[in-house]
């Protein structure tokens, strides 16, 4: 099964093609919230928890909002900042309203996910006018750039920039999730495909691969994992440059010519426990050079330790 097949299966199972064709926001919202729930934990654990306890949904949150919640934090997307709901202690920034509040009712894995679900709902309601498809179309149509690279970056920022302020979502999870959505419904929106294939999700595995191989050092771009990965000369830019030199149609004729998301995903698969399980902290002592001599990249890899050892 190819990378595109995996995306297509997910889009089909979630009903995203139909939802986009009909501009039906609730199924898209439900899928986004479910996908966000995979942050910070293994997919298996997250999936088992959701199977047992369920997920947040547009219909449930919308119904609770119709009852005019008393909490001032739920009045609008802008009021929601600083909710601070904590599931374990059952506390928040407005304790006088928490007993009647609907936000804690979805039995999610932690309180941050409850906040994410409501923050995203309020974003879609108040900024996107309940129309995620129309909002995405408008954001992409309004992006400008004098070159293809600038236009790609502008389109990504047009989506990621506003959503970056939704509580609890990082650039990485936004890139991963939106790229799947944009690529998965490509038959309905060719422009979405162009944007989705150019998105790059940098996690610690991808960053550490670029460090260990010496690519960051050779590009004079050594940096810690974090925001710098998406900055000038960072991990994303390096992968994008490499991807521009690879015609992925030679690997699969149904792929687009340039497919940065696929290149990034290939690096991730090389490293991931769920993939080839090569370049990661389980196989390599972070304080020493990699010793996996049978790796195809071994002779060309700089094998730089992830952590420098301090002399004693």
């Amino acid at each position: 099964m190819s990378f595109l097949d995996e995306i297509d299966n997910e889009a089909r199972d979630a009903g995203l093609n139909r939802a986009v064709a009909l501009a039906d926001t609730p199924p898209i919202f439900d899928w986004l919230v479910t996908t966000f729930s995979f942050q910070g934990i293994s997919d298996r654990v997250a999936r088992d928890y959701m199977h047992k306890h369920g997920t947040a949904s547009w219909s449930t949150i919308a119904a609770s909002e119709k009852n005019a919640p008393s909490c001032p934090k739920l009045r609008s997307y802008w009021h929601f900042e600083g909710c601070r709901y904590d599931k374990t202690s059952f506390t928040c920034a407005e304790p006088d309203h928490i007993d009647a509040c609907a936000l804690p009712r979805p039995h999610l894995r932690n309180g941050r996910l409850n906040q994410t679900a409501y923050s995203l709902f309020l974003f879609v309601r108040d900024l996107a006018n309940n129309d995620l498809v129309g909002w995405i179309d408008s954001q992409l149509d309004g992006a400008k750039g004098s070159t293809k690279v600038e236009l790609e970056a502008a389109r990504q920022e047009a989506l990621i920039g506003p959503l970056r302020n939704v509580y609890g979502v990082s650039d990485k999870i936004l890139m991963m999730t939106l790229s799947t959505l944009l690529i998965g419904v490509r038959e309905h929106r060719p422009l979405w495909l162009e944007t989705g294939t150019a998105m790059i999700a940098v996690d610690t595995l991808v960053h550490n691969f670029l460090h260990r191989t010496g690519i960051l050092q050779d590009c004079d771009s050594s940096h810690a994992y974090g925001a710098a990965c998406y900055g000038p000369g960072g991990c994303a830019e390096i992968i994008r440059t490499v991807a521009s030199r690879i015609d992925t149609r030679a690997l699969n004729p149904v792929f687009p010519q340039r497919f940065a998301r696929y290149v990034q995903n290939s690096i991730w698969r090389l490293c991931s426990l769920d993939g080839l399980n090569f370049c990661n902290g389980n196989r390599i002592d972070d304080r020493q050079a990699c010793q996996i001599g049978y790796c195809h990249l071994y002779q060309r890899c700089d094998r730089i330790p992830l952590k420098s050892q301090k002399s004693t």
Side-chain angles (χ1 to χ4, degrees), residues 6 32 55 81 89 122 126 136 145 169 242 244 248 265 279 290:
E6 292 176 358
L32 287 171
T55 61
E81 184 177 2
S89 61
L122 293 171
D126 297 343
I136 293 174
V169 292
V242 172
S244 69
T248 57
N265 183 261
C279 191
C290 172

Side-chain angles (χ1 to χ4, degrees), residues 100-111:
C101 183
L103 184 147
R105 291 175 189 169
H107 192 34
L108 307 184
R109 202 175 69 251
N110 57 57

Side-chain angles (χ1 to χ4, degrees), residues 209-222:
F209 169 85
L210 296 177
H211 175 97
R212 288 189 176 104
T213 54
I215 293 173
L216 291 183
Q217 180 174 280
D218 291 345
C219 293
D220 195 25
S221 185
S222 297

Side-chain angles (χ1 to χ4, degrees), residues 37-53 109:
S37 297
F38 286 92
Q39 293 185 89
I41 199 169
S42 73
D43 288 359
R44 180 184 59 81
V45 173
R47 192 174 290 110
D48 288 348
Y49 191 95
M50 287 186 283
H51 179 74
K52 183 177 181 180
H53 299 287
R109 202 175 69 251

Side-chain angles (χ1 to χ4, degrees), residues 116-166:
T116 297
Y118 268 76
S119 181
L120 180 62
F121 175 86
L122 293 171
F123 176 95
V124 175
R125 188 193 69 182
D126 297 343
L127 275 75
N129 196 28
N130 294 320
D131 181 8
L132 264 176
V133 174
W135 181 80
I136 293 174
D137 281 338
S138 177
Q139 293 296 107
L140 294 180
D141 289 342
K144 305 297 180 184
S146 57
T147 66
K148 183 177 179 61
V149 172
E150 288 181 1
L151 182 57
E152 286 179 350
R155 287 171 177 167
Q156 291 179 40
E157 185 59 24
L159 299 181
I160 300 295
L163 286 167
R164 190 179 286 128
N165 295 311
V166 169

